[in-house]
Amino acid sequence: LSSILCRPASVTCAVDCCTMPLEFPKTFPSQYGLCFVPMGFAWVLNIIQTAMVVKARLKYGIKYPLLYAPSDHKDATAFNCVQRCHQNYLETVNLVMISVFTTGLVYPVSAFRAGMTWVLSRYIYVAYALGNPRYRLPGVLLSRFGEFWLVGMTIRIGYKAFFGSS
């Protein structure tokens, strides 16, 4: 099992991750608190989008447990845009926020900036709820920038941990 879980013998690591215990930092970086700002904005956005879906359910008469309006419903597109806007947010917010907090351990200011880029673009994405799927594009493009920024930092941290380079 060790040969499956550990790196190949030909790869040199700064730390032998298969035999050495993982050490966690004893303190957080001084600017780590910035990582909580995008989370606060994300909570507010979730409340706003939840309220939008509840209001749309009442307005268009879409009852639970239906997640989306049936295709033959006269207001299917309008309701489904509101619901899809919120659902898409729920599909990504957890991984993005986890990425902000984990990359923030190494790059707190960059993690804050990437997180804010993502969450503020999700506020722009709310235009999708106006009933036209094309309105989501500016928010999608900006949010992807924030996501890729976080992915890049994650890969860099992993690379440095695995290969020990700076």
Side-chain angles (χ1 to χ4, degrees):
L1 185 61
S2 176
S3 63
I4 295 171
L5 298 176
C6 295
R7 69 189 184 289
S10 61
V11 175
T12 304
C13 286
V15 175
D16 187 351
C17 32
C18 296
T19 59
M20 302 274 302
L22 182 62
E23 290 191 36
F24 291 98
K26 308 277 188 282
T27 61
F28 290 102
S30 63
Q31 296 173 317
Y32 187 73
L34 290 171
C35 295
F36 289 85
V37 176
M39 180 60 109
F41 277 90
W43 272 105
V44 171
L45 181 58
N46 187 55
I47 292 166
I48 291 168
Q49 288 187 353
T50 300
M52 291 171 64
V53 171
V54 169
K55 183 179 175 183
R57 282 190 179 282
L58 295 171
K59 179 178 179 180
Y60 301 120
I62 309 299
K63 308 281 186 228
Y64 286 108
L66 293 178
L67 188 57
Y68 298 102
S71 58
D72 60 345
H73 190 283
K74 67 181 176 96
D75 296 308
T77 299
F79 175 78
N80 290 344
C81 283
V82 175
Q83 177 64 11
R84 188 67 202 129
C85 177
H86 188 228
Q87 189 64 34
N88 184 267
Y89 171 79
L90 294 174
E91 291 167 358
T92 56
V93 67
N94 294 323
L95 188 56
V96 169
M97 289 300 124
I98 288 169
S99 296
V100 168
F101 283 106
T102 55
T103 59
L105 292 170
V106 179
Y107 306 113
V109 175
S110 291
F112 157 75
R113 289 177 179 159
M116 286 304 295
T117 299
W118 182 84
V119 78
L120 292 176
S121 71
R122 299 312 294 197
Y123 278 88
I124 296 169
Y125 188 83
V126 169
Y128 181 17
L130 297 173
N132 187 337
R134 286 184 297 197
Y135 292 167
R136 74 186 190 279
L137 293 179
V140 165
L141 295 175
L142 288 170
S143 69
R144 293 299 181 250
F145 178 74
E147 288 173 24
F148 292 145
W149 191 353
L150 288 165
V151 168
M153 286 187 286
T154 301
I155 290 170
R156 181 180 168 96
I157 292 166
Y159 181 88
K160 287 170 65 174
F162 194 75
F163 293 107
S165 66
S166 45

